[in-house]
Amino acid sequence: MNYYPYDDGRNHQQLAWHETLELHELAAFQTNGLIQFKKAVRKIQDRELKNLYLEAIEGIQGNLTELLSFYEYGPYPEGQHEVRNDESAFFSGSLLGFTKTSVRSYATAITETATPSLHEIFNRHLQKAINLHYKVFTYMYRKGYYPAYDLTTLRMNDVKNAKKALNMPY
């Protein structure tokens, strides 16, 4: 399927910055999940659970294919880029996604908490999640796994990783 950006008569030729960043977040999250599920599905013996994994894999592959079609409308130059096969990049990306989800989950939970002692525990856990997220991000940035200040390279990595995940056997 080929998509074209919203046309309101002003002839937009690229994505807005805020949606470009959301696109990156979703593509990276879906890519990490796809790789994890494809690695795990081989080990699953329960047929019903295996079928659920296969359904998730097929769904995520469709999602990534659609998301990748929008990359041409953002700051993504054509051409070659370095391909790095480093498991540490994948594992640290998975950990970063987990910590980010933890921060969001604890922040939401705190807004729903009326019991002071539980609020205190959630707050303490939130602070630990924030600190771990920062450490993981800093590690990834230092290693070159997360070029946070270079949107073009970040998006190039998204496409490379998503294509790798889509082509990965399972």
Side-chain angles (χ1 to χ4, degrees):
M1 225 177 261
N2 192 11
Y3 296 96
Y4 190 76
Y6 172 70
D7 184 6
D8 63 359
R10 288 184 251 175
N11 199 19
H12 296 285
Q13 295 300 312
Q14 77 175 53
L15 298 175
W17 286 103
H18 66 283
E19 62 189 354
T20 299
L21 293 172
E22 291 298 332
L23 177 63
H24 153 70
E25 291 289 338
L26 284 168
F29 176 73
Q30 298 263 312
T31 297
N32 277 334
L34 182 59
I35 292 169
Q36 288 175 343
F37 296 155
K38 282 185 171 183
K39 286 182 175 186
V41 75
R42 299 177 213 145
K43 301 174 185 174
I44 297 173
Q45 300 301 313
D46 181 287
R47 193 75 202 138
E48 185 177 1
L49 179 58
K50 188 177 203 100
N51 286 337
L52 291 170
Y53 264 72
L54 292 171
E55 182 178 334
I57 288 168
E58 293 299 318
I60 293 169
Q61 288 185 148
N63 294 351
L64 277 173
T65 300
E66 288 182 332
L67 293 175
L68 288 177
S69 72
F70 282 91
Y71 272 73
E72 67 183 277
Y73 301 112
Y76 178 71
E78 295 297 321
Q80 299 296 319
H81 53 276
E82 176 187 352
V83 175
R84 183 174 17 186
N85 285 328
D86 188 344
E87 287 282 304
S88 294
F90 167 70
F91 290 126
S92 59
S94 293
L95 184 56
L96 187 70
F98 172 81
T99 60
K100 185 179 288 192
T101 300
S102 294
V103 168
R104 290 176 177 163
S105 297
Y106 274 110
T108 299
I110 285 172
T111 66
E112 300 296 331
T113 305
T115 305
S117 58
L118 186 57
H119 183 274
E120 183 180 319
I121 288 170
F122 283 174
N123 191 37
R124 189 172 67 247
H125 290 190
L126 172 61
Q127 293 307 310
K128 286 173 26 179
I130 290 169
N131 291 335
L132 181 58
H133 178 273
Y134 181 72
K135 288 176 184 177
V136 174
F137 166 77
T138 302
Y139 165 84
M140 291 182 72
Y141 182 73
R142 249 190 4 262
K143 295 284 190 171
Y145 302 149
Y146 199 126
Y149 296 97
D150 183 348
L151 185 59
T152 299
T153 302
L154 190 68
R155 298 183 77 240
M156 288 169 60
N157 288 343
D158 287 347
V159 172
K160 174 194 67 151
N161 292 333
K163 286 181 178 179
K164 178 181 171 185
L166 287 166
N167 293 321
M168 185 178 165
Y170 59 98

